[in-house]
Amino acid sequence: MTEQDLKTEEKILEAAMTVFIQKGKAAARMQEIADTAGINKALLHYYYRSKDKLYESVFSIVIKQLLLPKIFKILQEEEDVFALIHQFADFYVGVINKNPFIPLFVIEEINKNPNRLSNAVLNSGIPIEQVIARFQKAMDEGKIRKTDPRQILVNLISMCIFPVAARNMLLPILFNNSKTEYKKFLELRKTEVAEFIIQSIKI
Amino acid sequence: MTEQDLKTEEKILEAAMTVFIQKGKAAARMQEIADTAGINKALLHYYYRSKDKLYESVFSIVIKQLLLPKIFKILQEEEDVFALIHQFADFYVGVINKNPFIPLFVIEEINKNPNRLSNAVLNSGIPIEQVIARFQKAMDEGKIRKTDPRQILVNLISMCIFPVAARNMLLPILFNNSKTEYKKFLELRKTEVAEFIIQSIKI
DNA sequence: GTCTATAAATTGATAGAC
DNA sequence: GTCTATCAATTTATAGAC
């Protein structure tokens, strides 16, 4: 594979990522991806055989390179549940804010192709059971109040993802269309979400 | 307009709602809508001129009839912030659970057509400012801890909507694919979300 | 109003020259 | 490897009979 190959392949992938993530799979157009990459439509099929395959490549990269590795690290390494919540919220709000179209992209994929993402997560080695056990232990030790640990986890993820997915609705309704205000709001959220949860579960 | 007209028009609308909400606008097929409605494809164009117009009708109904009125009532009438949180969570988790494809449908629309939903909300008369003021007052009175009321509102909405939007991911990861478990989890959430928030903000 | 048949348009995919 | 030109398939939309 020559250097030119790599360059083109990467250009395509980057363009495809932009278009697929913004438009969704069905509404994305191969022509637009080609235009965005600054190359010809036929080249898309030369490198990736079909729209399906191209989409799969994009999805795989988003999940396996962008989202999962860091989360894996946090969930794996952080023993203290309060610190875990903080780190998780900080990373998640940050990465999603930097890639604001990912939530829609992922939620769409979840609904169109239910098993792909969950399999990726399950195969990624992310130790969900361990994390839940860690929360359970904190409850047994009287550090946090007793509740279903999954409720806490779901709350955490919800609060990180949704405000970005719903950006275009929140912006006019809560922020008078001020992007500065909204940005400040999200920046604060990195700690706010964690504090909100800890405030709720600590004893 | 005869009775038959109404019947057919309604059949179409109902079918369109099912298909659009489940597939998204781009992936929805007029043929499938016609089949679902049990009528011919040409009739779709006879009643609604185009796919676009049909979609708009569906979206308008979902928002203006299904989502907004009840929320308006709750936000308008309920003075006590704790009760407001409870009622809001109870209704929202319930309606979304009954119509699990709505979150994706709405989020998609938010991103494709940013102003439509927010305008609908802004024009619905939902008293956002009043609600925020009510939270502010509760803070001033020392009933809840001081924070940005919008953070609380966003948390509330996030926790109601996301778990249903992400159903297909949560199901295998947190519930071993047990729909019964997941259903129980969501049923509990109607009160759990409200309690979680109140626990966090009360003094 | 409702249908069948068909046109028109869009778009993913391929052939073939360079 | 990259392009232009074209095909083939899908899908929205319309014409016209009943």
Side-chain angles (χ1 to χ4, degrees):
Chain A
M1 215 180 274
T2 76
E3 194 178 307
Q4 186 60 20
D5 267 4
L6 268 180
K7 268 199 195 134
T8 304
E9 225 175 310
E10 273 173 17
K11 270 195 297 184
I12 292 176
L13 215 49
E14 216 166 295
M17 211 175 295
T18 307
V19 177
F20 274 132
I21 289 179
Q22 290 201 24
K23 301 280 170 81
K25 184 179 172 184
R29 297 285 164 252
M30 296 296 268
Q31 186 61 58
E32 188 178 353
I33 294 174
D35 292 347
T36 305
I39 52 115
N40 189 279
K41 202 172 53 159
L43 262 189
L44 298 181
H45 290 90
Y46 175 79
Y47 281 99
Y48 304 83
R49 290 184 51 80
S50 67
K51 188 182 178 182
D52 265 334
K53 301 243 190 258
L54 181 54
Y55 177 84
E56 283 192 33
S57 300
V58 169
F59 183 77
S60 177
I61 284 184
V62 168
I63 297 304
K64 289 179 188 159
Q65 290 183 23
L66 198 64
L67 290 182
L68 292 187
K70 177 71 185 234
I71 290 174
F72 175 77
K73 200 169 140 65
I74 293 173
L75 293 182
Q76 178 86 340
E77 294 178 1
E78 186 51 62
E79 289 282 333
D80 180 59
V81 289
F82 295 138
L84 187 150
I85 291 171
H86 263 293
Q87 285 191 41
F88 189 93
D90 183 74
F91 165 72
Y92 231 135
V93 174
V95 74
I96 290 179
N97 198 15
K98 252 185 258 161
N99 307 274
F101 291 101
I102 284 186
L104 174 59
F105 176 71
V106 171
I107 292 177
E108 194 172 306
E109 178 63 17
I110 288 171
N111 285 281
K112 305 274 146 81
N113 200 333
N115 296 321
R116 187 129 43 125
L117 178 57
S118 58
N119 282 342
V121 172
L122 290 172
N123 293 331
S124 71
I126 287 185
I128 312 264
E129 293 302 328
Q130 274 180 45
V131 175
I132 289 179
R134 218 168 291 155
F135 276 91
Q136 196 62 56
K137 185 164 164 248
M139 285 175 204
D140 296 341
E141 289 170 349
K143 286 181 185 161
I144 63 178
R145 68 180 164 85
K146 285 195 195 309
T147 181
D148 184 344
R150 295 173 302 187
Q151 297 277 2
I152 302 173
L153 280 178
V154 169
N155 290 344
L156 175 56
I157 300 172
S158 301
M159 287 193 272
C160 292
I161 294 181
F162 184 80
V164 184
R167 175 185 189 278
N168 288 330
M169 184 177 57
L170 299 179
L171 203 49
I173 294 176
L174 290 182
F175 302 96
N176 261 320
N177 274 317
S178 160
K179 288 178 189 174
T180 325
E181 279 289 309
Y182 176 73
K183 204 181 160 170
K184 233 187 291 171
F185 178 82
L186 272 191
E187 198 53 47
L188 269 177
R189 257 184 107 70
K190 283 187 187 174
T191 56
E192 188 78 24
V193 164
E195 292 296 344
F196 192 89
I197 293 175
I198 290 171
Q199 200 73 30
S200 178
I201 64 175
K202 76 165 188 220
I203 290 184
Chain B
M1 211 181 274
T2 75
E3 193 179 308
Q4 187 58 21
D5 268 5
L6 268 178
K7 268 199 195 135
T8 304
E9 226 176 308
E10 273 173 17
K11 269 194 299 185
I12 291 177
L13 217 50
E14 215 165 296
M17 208 175 296
T18 307
V19 176
F20 274 132
I21 290 180
Q22 291 200 23
K23 300 282 170 79
K25 184 179 171 183
R29 297 286 163 251
M30 296 296 267
Q31 185 62 60
E32 187 178 353
I33 295 175
D35 293 347
T36 305
I39 52 115
N40 189 278
K41 204 174 48 163
L43 262 188
L44 297 182
H45 290 90
Y46 175 79
Y47 282 98
Y48 305 83
R49 289 185 54 81
S50 67
K51 186 181 179 182
D52 265 335
K53 301 244 188 256
L54 181 53
Y55 177 82
E56 283 193 31
S57 301
V58 168
F59 184 77
S60 177
I61 284 186
V62 168
I63 297 304
K64 289 179 188 160
Q65 290 183 23
L66 197 64
L67 290 182
L68 293 187
K70 176 72 183 235
I71 289 173
F72 175 77
K73 199 169 142 63
I74 293 173
L75 293 181
Q76 178 85 338
E77 294 179 1
E78 187 51 63
E79 289 283 333
D80 179 61
V81 289
F82 296 138
L84 187 150
I85 290 171
H86 264 292
Q87 284 191 41
F88 189 94
D90 183 73
F91 166 71
Y92 231 134
V93 173
V95 74
I96 290 178
N97 198 15
K98 252 186 257 160
N99 307 275
F101 292 101
I102 284 186
L104 174 59
F105 176 71
V106 171
I107 292 177
E108 196 172 305
E109 177 63 15
I110 288 171
N111 286 280
K112 306 275 146 82
N113 200 333
N115 296 320
R116 188 130 40 126
L117 179 56
S118 57
N119 283 341
V121 172
L122 290 172
N123 293 329
S124 71
I126 286 186
I128 312 266
E129 293 302 328
Q130 274 181 45
V131 175
I132 290 179
R134 217 167 292 155
F135 276 91
Q136 196 62 55
K137 187 167 163 242
M139 285 174 205
D140 296 341
E141 289 171 348
K143 286 182 186 164
I144 62 178
R145 68 181 166 85
K146 286 195 195 307
T147 182
D148 184 345
R150 294 174 302 187
Q151 296 277 3
I152 302 173
L153 279 180
V154 169
N155 290 344
L156 175 56
I157 300 172
S158 302
M159 288 193 271
C160 292
I161 295 181
F162 184 80
V164 184
R167 175 185 189 277
N168 288 330
M169 184 177 56
L170 299 179
L171 203 50
I173 294 175
L174 290 182
F175 301 96
N176 261 322
N177 274 316
S178 159
K179 289 177 188 173
T180 323
E181 279 289 309
Y182 176 74
K183 204 182 160 173
K184 235 186 290 174
F185 178 83
L186 273 191
E187 198 53 46
L188 269 176
R189 256 186 109 69
K190 284 188 187 173
T191 57
E192 188 79 23
V193 164
E195 291 297 341
F196 191 88
I197 293 175
I198 290 172
Q199 199 74 30
S200 178
I201 64 176
K202 72 163 189 221
I203 291 182

